[in-house]
Amino acid sequence: TIYKTVNDGESDMPFGIGSNPAFKIDIEEFKNGNYYLEFEEDEDKIHFLYLMDGLVGIEYAKNIMADKRRINLDYNMFRDGQVIMKGLKSNKISLKRKDGKKLLTLDYTGFPYLALWSKTNSPFICISPWMSTPDAVNGSGVFRQKGDIILLPPKESFECKYTVEFY
């Protein structure tokens, strides 16, 4: 998936990019805790954020890492909403079953955020590369003033992409 943003205007253009690709998984296997995510590198400096009524909270969320590379997917872990991660060293994350079978690898090189989400009683997991996040709980509500908004100069373009490899 490639995003290309072009500013044909005469002034800086504020924008943000985020995607929520969903991947089908077996609901019973999900309920039984038989899936996990694995980063390509050890991750010891991730900052976990949370959403509160669609806005990013001002405090860090609980660390959900099982070890330095793995997040065990718990069926109930998304009851309160999306889990957002920043400060990642890895550029790739793989969805695996507990038997070690790799299902997919998502390459999110260049994206500063990775979000995870699933809806209760749904057979999918979203692994979401984001360039920017929703506004913060204590934000001004002015789009241009968001902390991670991208300002694209006039007559310039911006491009980013992520790829998914299925096994």
Side-chain angles (χ1 to χ4, degrees):
T1 300
I2 300 172
Y3 296 98
K4 184 169 186 179
T5 305
V6 178
N7 182 357
D8 289 330
E10 301 299 323
S11 60
D12 287 350
M13 180 179 76
F15 73 99
I17 292 176
S19 181
N20 276 332
F23 304 101
K24 184 176 169 90
I25 55 179
D26 182 276
I27 189 78
E28 293 306 316
E29 294 289 316
F30 192 22
K31 285 180 179 178
N32 290 326
N34 290 327
Y35 292 103
Y36 67 94
L37 295 167
E38 186 173 73
F39 290 101
E40 67 178 340
E41 296 184 40
D42 286 353
E43 295 289 352
D44 52 7
K45 297 193 187 235
I46 297 176
H47 296 287
F48 291 90
L49 308 170
Y50 65 94
L51 289 181
M52 190 164 89
D53 297 326
L55 300 172
V56 177
I58 57 174
E59 297 176 7
Y60 289 122
K62 177 183 158 199
N63 183 333
I64 59 170
M65 300 291 290
D67 57 37
K68 290 190 180 215
R69 289 194 182 205
R70 186 183 290 204
I71 297 172
N72 293 324
L73 293 175
D74 179 305
Y75 183 68
N76 295 309
M77 70 191 295
F78 305 110
R79 279 183 295 159
D80 297 327
Q82 293 183 340
V83 174
I84 306 164
M85 297 172 279
K86 72 175 186 175
L88 298 162
K89 288 190 276 185
S90 299
N91 291 311
K92 296 180 182 179
I93 193 168
S94 296
L95 175 63
K96 295 183 174 184
R97 286 197 327 226
K98 289 278 170 120
D99 64 8
K101 181 178 180 185
K102 188 186 293 188
L103 303 174
L104 65 88
T105 298
L106 186 139
D107 183 333
Y108 55 92
T109 301
F111 285 81
Y113 300 96
L114 192 64
L116 306 174
W117 180 73
S118 185
K119 184 175 176 149
T120 303
N121 295 319
S122 296
F124 68 85
I125 181 77
C126 288
I127 308 170
S128 309
W130 291 353
M131 294 302 293
S132 51
T133 61
D135 204 2
V137 170
N138 62 350
S140 69
V142 177
F143 188 71
R144 184 180 274 276
Q145 294 174 355
K146 283 181 54 186
D148 54 15
I149 201 69
I150 301 166
L151 288 175
L152 187 61
K155 311 303 180 203
E156 297 286 325
S157 64
F158 175 90
E159 189 171 298
C160 60
K161 71 175 182 175
Y162 67 86
T163 61
V164 181
E165 183 175 359
F166 296 94
Y167 299 95

